[in-house]
Amino acid sequence: MIINHPLLGPRDAAEFVYLGDASLMDRPDGMTASDEEMHDYMYLRDNPAGEHRELWYHEQGDRSWLVVTRNTLTHEITMVELARDVARSRGRSK
Amino acid sequence: MGYSAFKVFWQGLTGNKGWQPAWREPDPRPQYDIIIIGGGGHGLATAYYLAKEFGVRNVAVVEKGWLGSGNIGRNTTIIRANYLLPGNQPFYELSLKLWENLEQDFNYNAMVSQRSILNLIHSDPQRDAFARRANAMRLSGADSELLGPDEIRALCPFLDFDNARFPIQGALRQKRGGTVRHDAVAWGYARGADMHGVDIIQNCEVTGIDITDGVCTGVQTTRGPIRAKKVAMCAAGSSGRVAALADMRLPIESHVLQAFVTEGLKPTLPGVITFGAGHFYVSQSDKGGLVFGGDIDGYNTYAQRGNLPVVEDVCEGGMAIMPMIGRARLLRGWGGVMDMSMDGSPFIDKTGTQGLYVNAGWCYGGFKATPASGYCYAHLLAKDQPHEVATQFRLDRFRRGAPIDEKGVGAQPNLH
Ligand SMILES: Cc1cc2nc3c(=O)[nH]c(=O)nc-3n(C[C@H](O)[C@H](O)[C@H](O)COP(=O)(O)OP(=O)(O)OC[C@H]3O[C@@H](n4cnc5c(N)ncnc54)[C@H](O)[C@@H]3O)c2cc1C
């Protein structure tokens, strides 16, 4: 698979480390979240067949985190964003 | 129709004209006591033991493709009981015991071959870890031994013993481990279940799970609705998709594992060998091909194929441990979708919905588990109580802080 990095252009997916579903960006506040919320965040996944937004880390490159939109049935990648931009667009500071 | 050596001989003399289909092809009936979703190894074994051991015969196995189209026909056929943790090891030892008597039990030649498994050791800390594991194995009643380099040299002279980076210092051996012909396992269980009255319905995909007031009442399929008192999910790599039909999210991600086979060679490998410093394992099939594999690709996927970086990584692992493999030509490579769980261990449990049960999370190691998974799932379905070796395979174990994490890497499925 080739990931079209927003800053560096097309890169081999082997340069990246895969973390999982992009919802992992939305960690509940550990001080206020209920056990149930924390459990669901940590352990449960949608695991869809089809479009999947997921986190990839460019470990062998510029060390940025990306949100990749990829089809889990075909491996086709339709969108690549900097995770930082995705977080900021939702009002987060970083 | 029972199979025997005499029958093979007699059919040989009479032109092999007397064989009959090994199981019926029934249409689904409107109602069953138990419907099993997924006709892979685990689903068929569950049906077989339900009918044979627990006396529940009004059972259907509903399979979306043909028998053996899933991972039961794609795995690298290794069986073993060499786990560490008390939540796992007694279960796998029960499985190995069931394998040992399987062919007599279901009267089918599954080519169970206890040709041993060697886990190679490359450092002192690894020897300590394997010594501990060997003791844990013995505590569960399984066999285990630690070998030194000389004993391994006598068995496998072709390994790269004096590798500068990863010299071979020993191995953990389980003599009762080995290989089994995987599709014969599906066929043997299917035939055995069918003979006890189970309906095996192929080309029938479950498209909906009917739930009324928190009670599961049946399933919708591409061949119409079927009622049932109990519905047993058993869809391995598709567990997430099937659970979603019941509005459940599972502690599972679906990943692809690839495997490879070379051209046929003369008998060379004494058994299964695993590399302890990288991820590579190899055995030799009865046709002579070297069957090998390594790491999963590592990203969510339902496509039954992987990518090239893992092919390269697996082949590098092979060259590091067994340089002669570089002379063999690769015949085929393929991939299968597996249900990687959050701690690398499986689930055999009830769900929050009455009458709905789950069997999932077998990761890349569910083939060896087939007999015990079927037996324990049948036990749960028939008695509503877990079997004593499967009490820890609960869906709520993360909530209780009781994961069964053999590798100790946490909730990161692609690291298990
Ligand atoms: C390449 C590879 C190598 C492996 N090597 C080993 C090994 O050496 N040793 C080992 O122990 N394990 C190994 N495994 C793991 C093992 O194969 C699996 O854990 C095990 O086979 C899963 O259980 P199963 O046989 O029931 O799965 P499957 O055969 O996949 O059965 C699940 C069935 O459910 C059906 N299904 C899915 N959705 C629906 C639906 N909606 N309606 C109806 N039916 C449905 C599917 O069609 C499928 O037939 C390997 C796996 C792979 C991919």
Short mmCIF file of all heavy atoms in Angstrom, two decimals, chain B residues 37-44 62-80 83 204-207 234-239 241-242 245 256-259 281 334-339 359 362-370, ligand 1:
data_model
loop_
_atom_site.label_atom_id
_atom_site.label_comp_id
_atom_site.label_asym_id
_atom_site.label_seq_id
_atom_site.Cartn_x
_atom_site.Cartn_y
_atom_site.Cartn_z
N ILE B 37 -23.98 -19.97 13.55
CA ILE B 37 -23.64 -19.11 12.41
C ILE B 37 -22.16 -19.30 12.08
O ILE B 37 -21.30 -18.91 12.85
CB ILE B 37 -23.89 -17.61 12.74
CG1 ILE B 37 -25.33 -17.40 13.22
CG2 ILE B 37 -23.59 -16.75 11.51
CD1 ILE B 37 -25.62 -15.97 13.64
N GLY B 38 -21.87 -19.92 10.94
CA GLY B 38 -20.49 -20.12 10.52
C GLY B 38 -20.13 -21.59 10.50
O GLY B 38 -20.08 -22.25 11.55
N GLY B 39 -19.91 -22.13 9.30
CA GLY B 39 -19.52 -23.53 9.16
C GLY B 39 -18.03 -23.68 8.95
O GLY B 39 -17.57 -24.34 8.02
N GLY B 40 -17.26 -23.04 9.81
CA GLY B 40 -15.81 -23.29 9.83
C GLY B 40 -15.54 -24.46 10.77
O GLY B 40 -16.47 -25.17 11.18
N GLY B 41 -14.29 -24.66 11.12
CA GLY B 41 -13.93 -25.75 12.02
C GLY B 41 -14.68 -25.67 13.34
O GLY B 41 -15.26 -26.66 13.81
N HIS B 42 -14.72 -24.48 13.91
CA HIS B 42 -15.32 -24.35 15.25
C HIS B 42 -16.82 -24.57 15.21
O HIS B 42 -17.37 -25.23 16.10
CB HIS B 42 -15.01 -22.97 15.83
CG HIS B 42 -13.55 -22.79 16.14
ND1 HIS B 42 -13.11 -22.06 17.22
CD2 HIS B 42 -12.44 -23.24 15.53
CE1 HIS B 42 -11.78 -22.07 17.25
NE2 HIS B 42 -11.35 -22.77 16.22
N GLY B 43 -17.50 -24.04 14.19
CA GLY B 43 -18.94 -24.21 14.09
C GLY B 43 -19.32 -25.67 13.90
O GLY B 43 -20.24 -26.19 14.54
N LEU B 44 -18.58 -26.36 13.02
CA LEU B 44 -18.88 -27.76 12.74
C LEU B 44 -18.56 -28.63 13.95
O LEU B 44 -19.32 -29.55 14.28
CB LEU B 44 -18.10 -28.23 11.52
CG LEU B 44 -18.51 -27.53 10.20
CD1 LEU B 44 -17.48 -27.79 9.11
CD2 LEU B 44 -19.89 -28.00 9.76
N VAL B 62 -25.23 -22.83 9.71
CA VAL B 62 -25.53 -21.99 8.56
C VAL B 62 -24.23 -21.34 8.08
O VAL B 62 -23.58 -20.61 8.82
CB VAL B 62 -26.56 -20.90 8.96
CG1 VAL B 62 -26.88 -20.02 7.78
CG2 VAL B 62 -27.82 -21.55 9.49
N GLU B 63 -23.86 -21.64 6.84
CA GLU B 63 -22.56 -21.19 6.32
C GLU B 63 -22.78 -20.36 5.05
O GLU B 63 -23.46 -20.80 4.13
CB GLU B 63 -21.69 -22.44 6.01
CG GLU B 63 -20.49 -22.19 5.12
CD GLU B 63 -19.54 -21.11 5.62
OE1 GLU B 63 -19.22 -21.11 6.82
OE2 GLU B 63 -19.12 -20.27 4.80
N LYS B 64 -22.15 -19.18 5.01
CA LYS B 64 -22.43 -18.30 3.86
C LYS B 64 -21.77 -18.78 2.57
O LYS B 64 -22.27 -18.53 1.49
CB LYS B 64 -22.01 -16.86 4.17
CG LYS B 64 -20.55 -16.57 4.06
CD LYS B 64 -20.26 -15.08 4.20
CE LYS B 64 -18.76 -14.89 4.28
NZ LYS B 64 -18.36 -13.58 4.79
N GLY B 65 -20.64 -19.50 2.67
CA GLY B 65 -19.99 -20.01 1.46
C GLY B 65 -20.10 -21.52 1.43
O GLY B 65 -21.16 -22.09 1.65
N TRP B 66 -18.99 -22.18 1.15
CA TRP B 66 -18.96 -23.63 1.21
C TRP B 66 -18.10 -24.04 2.41
O TRP B 66 -17.32 -23.24 2.91
CB TRP B 66 -18.41 -24.21 -0.09
CG TRP B 66 -16.95 -23.92 -0.32
CD1 TRP B 66 -15.89 -24.72 0.00
CD2 TRP B 66 -16.37 -22.74 -0.92
NE1 TRP B 66 -14.71 -24.11 -0.35
CE2 TRP B 66 -14.97 -22.91 -0.92
CE3 TRP B 66 -16.90 -21.55 -1.44
CZ2 TRP B 66 -14.09 -21.94 -1.42
CZ3 TRP B 66 -16.03 -20.59 -1.94
CH2 TRP B 66 -14.64 -20.80 -1.93
N LEU B 67 -18.27 -25.26 2.85
CA LEU B 67 -17.50 -25.73 4.01
C LEU B 67 -16.01 -25.69 3.69
O LEU B 67 -15.58 -26.24 2.68
CB LEU B 67 -17.89 -27.16 4.39
CG LEU B 67 -19.32 -27.37 4.87
CD1 LEU B 67 -19.45 -28.76 5.47
CD2 LEU B 67 -19.72 -26.32 5.88
N GLY B 68 -15.26 -25.08 4.56
CA GLY B 68 -13.82 -25.01 4.34
C GLY B 68 -13.38 -23.76 3.60
O GLY B 68 -12.22 -23.60 3.27
N SER B 69 -14.32 -22.84 3.33
CA SER B 69 -13.94 -21.63 2.59
C SER B 69 -13.30 -20.58 3.49
O SER B 69 -12.70 -19.64 3.01
CB SER B 69 -15.17 -21.03 1.90
OG SER B 69 -16.18 -20.75 2.85
N GLY B 70 -13.41 -20.74 4.78
CA GLY B 70 -12.82 -19.78 5.71
C GLY B 70 -11.45 -20.22 6.16
O GLY B 70 -10.71 -20.90 5.43
N ASN B 71 -11.11 -19.86 7.38
CA ASN B 71 -9.75 -20.12 7.87
C ASN B 71 -9.48 -21.59 8.13
O ASN B 71 -8.31 -21.99 8.19
CB ASN B 71 -9.50 -19.32 9.14
CG ASN B 71 -9.30 -17.87 8.84
OD1 ASN B 71 -9.06 -17.50 7.69
ND2 ASN B 71 -9.41 -17.04 9.84
N ILE B 72 -10.53 -22.39 8.30
CA ILE B 72 -10.28 -23.80 8.53
C ILE B 72 -9.53 -24.39 7.34
O ILE B 72 -8.74 -25.32 7.48
CB ILE B 72 -11.59 -24.58 8.82
CG1 ILE B 72 -11.31 -26.02 9.24
CG2 ILE B 72 -12.53 -24.59 7.63
CD1 ILE B 72 -10.59 -26.18 10.53
N GLY B 73 -9.73 -23.82 6.14
CA GLY B 73 -9.03 -24.32 4.96
C GLY B 73 -7.84 -23.46 4.55
O GLY B 73 -7.29 -23.64 3.48
N ARG B 74 -7.46 -22.50 5.39
CA ARG B 74 -6.38 -21.57 5.01
C ARG B 74 -5.21 -21.60 5.98
O ARG B 74 -4.19 -20.95 5.75
CB ARG B 74 -6.91 -20.13 5.00
CG ARG B 74 -7.88 -19.87 3.89
CD ARG B 74 -8.58 -18.54 4.05
NE ARG B 74 -9.56 -18.42 2.99
CZ ARG B 74 -9.31 -17.82 1.83
NH1 ARG B 74 -8.18 -17.22 1.62
NH2 ARG B 74 -10.23 -17.79 0.90
N ASN B 75 -5.36 -22.29 7.10
CA ASN B 75 -4.31 -22.17 8.13
C ASN B 75 -3.13 -23.10 7.81
O ASN B 75 -3.17 -23.90 6.90
CB ASN B 75 -4.90 -22.47 9.51
CG ASN B 75 -5.44 -23.87 9.58
OD1 ASN B 75 -4.70 -24.83 9.55
ND2 ASN B 75 -6.77 -23.99 9.62
N THR B 76 -2.10 -22.97 8.63
CA THR B 76 -0.88 -23.74 8.41
C THR B 76 -0.87 -25.02 9.24
O THR B 76 0.19 -25.62 9.44
CB THR B 76 0.36 -22.89 8.69
OG1 THR B 76 0.13 -22.12 9.87
CG2 THR B 76 0.64 -21.95 7.55
N THR B 77 -2.01 -25.41 9.74
CA THR B 77 -2.31 -26.75 10.28
C THR B 77 -1.53 -27.17 11.54
O THR B 77 -1.45 -28.35 11.85
CB THR B 77 -2.13 -27.86 9.23
OG1 THR B 77 -0.74 -28.17 9.07
CG2 THR B 77 -2.70 -27.47 7.88
N ILE B 78 -0.98 -26.21 12.26
CA ILE B 78 -0.17 -26.60 13.41
C ILE B 78 -1.03 -26.77 14.66
O ILE B 78 -1.88 -25.94 14.96
CB ILE B 78 0.92 -25.54 13.69
CG1 ILE B 78 1.85 -25.45 12.48
CG2 ILE B 78 1.70 -25.88 14.95
CD1 ILE B 78 2.70 -24.22 12.46
N ILE B 79 -0.81 -27.87 15.38
CA ILE B 79 -1.48 -28.08 16.66
C ILE B 79 -0.41 -28.18 17.75
O ILE B 79 0.69 -28.69 17.52
CB ILE B 79 -2.38 -29.33 16.66
CG1 ILE B 79 -1.56 -30.60 16.41
CG2 ILE B 79 -3.45 -29.21 15.58
CD1 ILE B 79 -2.32 -31.87 16.72
N ARG B 80 -0.73 -27.66 18.92
CA ARG B 80 0.22 -27.65 20.03
C ARG B 80 -0.52 -27.23 21.28
O ARG B 80 -1.61 -26.67 21.20
CB ARG B 80 1.36 -26.65 19.76
CG ARG B 80 0.85 -25.25 19.48
CD ARG B 80 1.96 -24.29 19.03
NE ARG B 80 1.40 -23.03 18.53
CZ ARG B 80 1.16 -21.95 19.26
NH1 ARG B 80 1.44 -21.94 20.55
NH2 ARG B 80 0.64 -20.85 18.73
N TYR B 83 1.12 -23.15 25.82
CA TYR B 83 0.82 -21.82 26.34
C TYR B 83 1.33 -21.69 27.77
O TYR B 83 1.71 -22.67 28.40
CB TYR B 83 -0.69 -21.57 26.28
CG TYR B 83 -1.18 -21.27 24.87
CD1 TYR B 83 -1.15 -22.24 23.88
CD2 TYR B 83 -1.64 -20.01 24.53
CE1 TYR B 83 -1.58 -21.97 22.60
CE2 TYR B 83 -2.08 -19.72 23.23
CZ TYR B 83 -2.04 -20.71 22.28
OH TYR B 83 -2.45 -20.44 21.00
N CYS B 204 -25.61 -20.01 2.50
CA CYS B 204 -26.72 -19.39 3.23
C CYS B 204 -26.11 -18.40 4.22
O CYS B 204 -25.59 -18.78 5.25
CB CYS B 204 -27.51 -20.49 3.95
SG CYS B 204 -28.92 -19.88 4.87
N GLU B 205 -26.17 -17.11 3.85
CA GLU B 205 -25.55 -16.09 4.70
C GLU B 205 -26.55 -15.54 5.70
O GLU B 205 -27.69 -15.24 5.34
CB GLU B 205 -25.01 -14.95 3.83
CG GLU B 205 -24.38 -13.84 4.65
CD GLU B 205 -23.70 -12.77 3.80
OE1 GLU B 205 -23.64 -12.94 2.57
OE2 GLU B 205 -23.25 -11.78 4.39
N VAL B 206 -26.11 -15.41 6.94
CA VAL B 206 -26.96 -14.76 7.94
C VAL B 206 -26.88 -13.26 7.72
O VAL B 206 -25.80 -12.67 7.72
CB VAL B 206 -26.52 -15.14 9.37
CG1 VAL B 206 -27.25 -14.28 10.40
CG2 VAL B 206 -26.80 -16.62 9.62
N THR B 207 -28.04 -12.62 7.51
CA THR B 207 -28.07 -11.18 7.21
C THR B 207 -28.71 -10.39 8.34
O THR B 207 -28.71 -9.17 8.31
CB THR B 207 -28.86 -10.93 5.91
OG1 THR B 207 -30.13 -11.59 6.02
CG2 THR B 207 -28.13 -11.49 4.71
N CYS B 234 -20.35 -17.89 15.41
CA CYS B 234 -19.10 -18.64 15.33
C CYS B 234 -18.42 -18.34 14.00
O CYS B 234 -18.12 -19.23 13.22
CB CYS B 234 -19.42 -20.14 15.45
SG CYS B 234 -18.01 -21.12 15.95
N ALA B 235 -18.20 -17.05 13.74
CA ALA B 235 -17.82 -16.62 12.39
C ALA B 235 -16.36 -16.22 12.27
O ALA B 235 -15.96 -15.62 11.26
CB ALA B 235 -18.72 -15.48 11.94
N ALA B 236 -15.52 -16.54 13.25
CA ALA B 236 -14.07 -16.28 13.19
C ALA B 236 -13.79 -14.87 12.65
O ALA B 236 -14.21 -13.89 13.26
CB ALA B 236 -13.37 -17.37 12.41
N GLY B 237 -13.10 -14.76 11.51
CA GLY B 237 -12.69 -13.45 11.00
C GLY B 237 -13.83 -12.48 10.76
O GLY B 237 -13.63 -11.26 10.73
N SER B 238 -15.03 -12.99 10.58
CA SER B 238 -16.19 -12.11 10.36
C SER B 238 -16.98 -11.84 11.64
O SER B 238 -18.10 -11.34 11.58
CB SER B 238 -17.13 -12.74 9.33
OG SER B 238 -16.46 -12.93 8.11
N SER B 239 -16.40 -12.17 12.79
CA SER B 239 -17.13 -12.02 14.06
C SER B 239 -17.67 -10.62 14.26
O SER B 239 -18.81 -10.44 14.72
CB SER B 239 -16.21 -12.36 15.24
OG SER B 239 -15.88 -13.72 15.21
N ARG B 241 -18.55 -8.40 12.04
CA ARG B 241 -19.69 -8.12 11.15
C ARG B 241 -20.93 -8.84 11.63
O ARG B 241 -22.04 -8.31 11.54
CB ARG B 241 -19.37 -8.57 9.72
CG ARG B 241 -18.20 -7.82 9.13
CD ARG B 241 -17.77 -8.42 7.80
NE ARG B 241 -18.64 -7.98 6.72
CZ ARG B 241 -18.42 -8.31 5.44
NH1 ARG B 241 -17.39 -9.08 5.12
NH2 ARG B 241 -19.22 -7.87 4.51
N VAL B 242 -20.78 -10.07 12.09
CA VAL B 242 -21.95 -10.82 12.57
C VAL B 242 -22.47 -10.21 13.87
O VAL B 242 -23.67 -10.02 14.05
CB VAL B 242 -21.60 -12.31 12.74
CG1 VAL B 242 -22.73 -13.06 13.42
CG2 VAL B 242 -21.31 -12.94 11.37
N LEU B 245 -24.75 -7.30 13.60
CA LEU B 245 -26.16 -7.59 13.29
C LEU B 245 -27.00 -7.60 14.56
O LEU B 245 -28.21 -7.45 14.52
CB LEU B 245 -26.29 -8.95 12.58
CG LEU B 245 -25.56 -9.11 11.24
CD1 LEU B 245 -25.68 -10.54 10.74
CD2 LEU B 245 -26.10 -8.13 10.21
N VAL B 256 -5.30 -9.59 8.54
CA VAL B 256 -4.97 -10.68 7.62
C VAL B 256 -3.64 -11.33 8.01
O VAL B 256 -2.70 -10.65 8.41
CB VAL B 256 -4.93 -10.19 6.15
CG1 VAL B 256 -3.80 -9.19 5.92
CG2 VAL B 256 -4.79 -11.37 5.20
N LEU B 257 -3.62 -12.66 7.94
CA LEU B 257 -2.38 -13.42 8.11
C LEU B 257 -2.11 -14.15 6.80
O LEU B 257 -3.01 -14.74 6.21
CB LEU B 257 -2.53 -14.44 9.24
CG LEU B 257 -1.32 -15.38 9.46
CD1 LEU B 257 -0.09 -14.60 9.91
CD2 LEU B 257 -1.64 -16.46 10.48
N GLN B 258 -0.86 -14.09 6.34
CA GLN B 258 -0.50 -14.76 5.10
C GLN B 258 0.25 -16.06 5.39
O GLN B 258 0.86 -16.22 6.44
CB GLN B 258 0.40 -13.84 4.26
CG GLN B 258 -0.21 -12.49 3.95
CD GLN B 258 0.62 -11.71 2.95
OE1 GLN B 258 0.81 -12.15 1.83
NE2 GLN B 258 1.09 -10.55 3.35
N ALA B 259 0.19 -16.97 4.43
CA ALA B 259 0.95 -18.21 4.54
C ALA B 259 1.48 -18.57 3.15
O ALA B 259 0.98 -18.06 2.14
CB ALA B 259 0.09 -19.33 5.08
N TYR B 281 7.71 -19.48 11.10
CA TYR B 281 7.51 -20.87 11.50
C TYR B 281 7.31 -21.70 10.24
O TYR B 281 6.84 -21.21 9.23
CB TYR B 281 6.32 -21.01 12.45
CG TYR B 281 5.01 -20.55 11.86
CD1 TYR B 281 4.21 -21.43 11.16
CD2 TYR B 281 4.60 -19.23 12.01
CE1 TYR B 281 3.00 -21.01 10.61
CE2 TYR B 281 3.41 -18.81 11.46
CZ TYR B 281 2.62 -19.69 10.76
OH TYR B 281 1.45 -19.28 10.21
N TRP B 334 -1.14 -17.12 0.30
CA TRP B 334 -2.55 -16.74 0.42
C TRP B 334 -2.74 -16.04 1.76
O TRP B 334 -1.81 -15.96 2.56
CB TRP B 334 -3.46 -17.98 0.32
CG TRP B 334 -3.26 -18.97 1.41
CD1 TRP B 334 -3.98 -19.04 2.57
CD2 TRP B 334 -2.29 -20.03 1.47
NE1 TRP B 334 -3.50 -20.07 3.34
CE2 TRP B 334 -2.47 -20.70 2.68
CE3 TRP B 334 -1.29 -20.47 0.59
CZ2 TRP B 334 -1.68 -21.79 3.07
CZ3 TRP B 334 -0.51 -21.54 0.97
CH2 TRP B 334 -0.70 -22.20 2.19
N GLY B 335 -3.93 -15.51 1.97
CA GLY B 335 -4.20 -14.83 3.24
C GLY B 335 -5.55 -15.23 3.79
O GLY B 335 -6.43 -15.67 3.05
N GLY B 336 -5.70 -15.11 5.09
CA GLY B 336 -6.99 -15.37 5.74
C GLY B 336 -7.26 -14.27 6.75
O GLY B 336 -6.33 -13.72 7.34
N VAL B 337 -8.53 -13.95 6.93
CA VAL B 337 -8.90 -12.87 7.85
C VAL B 337 -9.17 -13.43 9.24
O VAL B 337 -9.96 -14.36 9.39
CB VAL B 337 -10.16 -12.15 7.34
CG1 VAL B 337 -10.55 -11.04 8.30
CG2 VAL B 337 -9.92 -11.60 5.96
N MET B 338 -8.49 -12.88 10.21
CA MET B 338 -8.63 -13.41 11.57
C MET B 338 -9.14 -12.37 12.54
O MET B 338 -8.89 -11.19 12.38
CB MET B 338 -7.29 -13.88 12.08
CG MET B 338 -6.74 -15.00 11.28
SD MET B 338 -5.03 -14.89 11.53
CE MET B 338 -4.85 -13.17 11.36
N ASP B 339 -9.82 -12.87 13.55
CA ASP B 339 -10.39 -12.04 14.60
C ASP B 339 -9.35 -11.84 15.70
O ASP B 339 -9.24 -12.64 16.62
CB ASP B 339 -11.66 -12.68 15.16
CG ASP B 339 -11.63 -14.22 15.18
OD1 ASP B 339 -10.76 -14.81 14.51
OD2 ASP B 339 -12.46 -14.82 15.88
N ASN B 359 -18.65 -17.07 20.07
CA ASN B 359 -17.39 -17.81 20.03
C ASN B 359 -16.53 -17.04 19.04
O ASN B 359 -16.87 -16.96 17.86
CB ASN B 359 -17.67 -19.25 19.55
CG ASN B 359 -16.40 -20.07 19.36
OD1 ASN B 359 -15.43 -19.61 18.76
ND2 ASN B 359 -16.43 -21.30 19.83
N TRP B 362 -10.14 -15.87 17.99
CA TRP B 362 -9.15 -16.96 17.96
C TRP B 362 -7.82 -16.53 17.37
O TRP B 362 -6.88 -17.33 17.31
CB TRP B 362 -9.74 -18.16 17.21
CG TRP B 362 -10.87 -18.71 18.01
CD1 TRP B 362 -12.20 -18.45 17.83
CD2 TRP B 362 -10.77 -19.50 19.19
NE1 TRP B 362 -12.93 -19.05 18.82
CE2 TRP B 362 -12.08 -19.71 19.66
CE3 TRP B 362 -9.71 -20.07 19.90
CZ2 TRP B 362 -12.36 -20.45 20.81
CZ3 TRP B 362 -9.98 -20.82 21.03
CH2 TRP B 362 -11.29 -21.00 21.48
N CYS B 363 -7.74 -15.32 16.88
CA CYS B 363 -6.48 -14.81 16.34
C CYS B 363 -5.89 -15.79 15.34
O CYS B 363 -6.61 -16.42 14.59
CB CYS B 363 -5.51 -14.50 17.47
SG CYS B 363 -6.18 -13.33 18.67
N TYR B 364 -4.55 -15.93 15.35
CA TYR B 364 -3.91 -16.80 14.36
C TYR B 364 -3.72 -18.22 14.91
O TYR B 364 -2.98 -19.01 14.33
CB TYR B 364 -2.56 -16.22 13.94
CG TYR B 364 -1.77 -15.72 15.12
CD1 TYR B 364 -1.12 -16.62 15.96
CD2 TYR B 364 -1.72 -14.36 15.42
CE1 TYR B 364 -0.45 -16.18 17.08
CE2 TYR B 364 -1.05 -13.92 16.55
CZ TYR B 364 -0.42 -14.83 17.36
OH TYR B 364 0.23 -14.40 18.48
N GLY B 365 -4.35 -18.52 16.05
CA GLY B 365 -4.07 -19.81 16.69
C GLY B 365 -5.30 -20.67 16.93
O GLY B 365 -5.27 -21.54 17.79
N GLY B 366 -6.35 -20.44 16.16
CA GLY B 366 -7.59 -21.14 16.46
C GLY B 366 -7.72 -22.51 15.86
O GLY B 366 -8.64 -23.25 16.20
N PHE B 367 -6.81 -22.90 14.97
CA PHE B 367 -6.95 -24.24 14.38
C PHE B 367 -6.73 -25.32 15.42
O PHE B 367 -7.53 -26.24 15.58
CB PHE B 367 -5.99 -24.42 13.20
CG PHE B 367 -6.06 -25.80 12.61
CD1 PHE B 367 -7.21 -26.25 12.00
CD2 PHE B 367 -4.99 -26.67 12.72
CE1 PHE B 367 -7.29 -27.54 11.48
CE2 PHE B 367 -5.06 -27.96 12.21
CZ PHE B 367 -6.21 -28.39 11.60
N LYS B 368 -5.65 -25.19 16.16
CA LYS B 368 -5.34 -26.17 17.21
C LYS B 368 -6.46 -26.27 18.24
O LYS B 368 -6.64 -27.27 18.90
CB LYS B 368 -4.05 -25.79 17.92
CG LYS B 368 -4.20 -24.55 18.80
CD LYS B 368 -2.95 -24.24 19.57
CE LYS B 368 -2.07 -23.30 18.81
NZ LYS B 368 -2.62 -21.93 18.70
N ALA B 369 -7.23 -25.15 18.35
CA ALA B 369 -8.28 -25.08 19.36
C ALA B 369 -9.57 -25.73 18.89
O ALA B 369 -10.49 -25.91 19.70
CB ALA B 369 -8.55 -23.61 19.70
N THR B 370 -9.65 -26.09 17.60
CA THR B 370 -10.93 -26.52 17.03
C THR B 370 -11.70 -27.55 17.89
O THR B 370 -12.86 -27.31 18.23
CB THR B 370 -10.73 -27.04 15.59
OG1 THR B 370 -10.07 -26.02 14.85
CG2 THR B 370 -12.05 -27.38 14.92
C1 LIG C 1 -2.73 -18.08 7.10
C2 LIG C 1 -3.26 -18.62 8.40
C3 LIG C 1 -2.51 -19.56 9.11
C4 LIG C 1 -2.96 -20.08 10.32
N1 LIG C 1 -2.22 -21.04 10.94
C5 LIG C 1 -2.68 -21.60 12.09
C6 LIG C 1 -1.94 -22.67 12.69
O1 LIG C 1 -0.91 -23.14 12.18
N2 LIG C 1 -2.40 -23.19 13.86
C7 LIG C 1 -3.54 -22.73 14.44
O2 LIG C 1 -3.91 -23.21 15.51
N3 LIG C 1 -4.29 -21.74 13.87
C8 LIG C 1 -3.88 -21.17 12.70
N4 LIG C 1 -4.63 -20.16 12.10
C9 LIG C 1 -5.87 -19.70 12.74
C10 LIG C 1 -7.08 -20.58 12.45
O3 LIG C 1 -7.13 -20.92 11.09
C11 LIG C 1 -8.37 -19.87 12.85
O4 LIG C 1 -8.25 -19.31 14.15
C12 LIG C 1 -9.57 -20.82 12.88
O5 LIG C 1 -9.64 -21.58 11.70
C13 LIG C 1 -10.85 -20.02 13.05
O6 LIG C 1 -11.99 -20.83 13.31
P1 LIG C 1 -12.91 -21.48 12.16
O7 LIG C 1 -12.22 -22.66 11.59
O8 LIG C 1 -14.23 -21.72 12.74
O9 LIG C 1 -12.95 -20.28 11.09
P2 LIG C 1 -13.52 -20.20 9.62
O10 LIG C 1 -13.20 -21.43 8.84
O11 LIG C 1 -13.08 -18.90 9.07
O12 LIG C 1 -15.09 -20.21 9.88
C14 LIG C 1 -15.93 -19.08 9.98
C15 LIG C 1 -17.05 -19.27 8.98
O13 LIG C 1 -18.09 -18.33 9.20
C16 LIG C 1 -18.67 -18.05 7.96
N5 LIG C 1 -19.45 -16.81 8.04
C17 LIG C 1 -18.99 -15.55 8.23
N6 LIG C 1 -20.00 -14.68 8.23
C18 LIG C 1 -21.15 -15.40 8.06
C19 LIG C 1 -22.53 -15.05 7.97
N7 LIG C 1 -22.94 -13.78 8.08
N8 LIG C 1 -23.43 -16.05 7.77
C20 LIG C 1 -23.02 -17.34 7.67
N9 LIG C 1 -21.72 -17.72 7.75
C21 LIG C 1 -20.80 -16.76 7.94
C22 LIG C 1 -17.47 -17.95 7.03
O14 LIG C 1 -17.83 -18.10 5.66
C23 LIG C 1 -16.57 -19.08 7.54
O15 LIG C 1 -16.74 -20.26 6.81
C24 LIG C 1 -4.19 -19.61 10.87
C25 LIG C 1 -4.95 -18.66 10.17
C26 LIG C 1 -4.51 -18.17 8.94
C27 LIG C 1 -5.34 -17.18 8.19
#
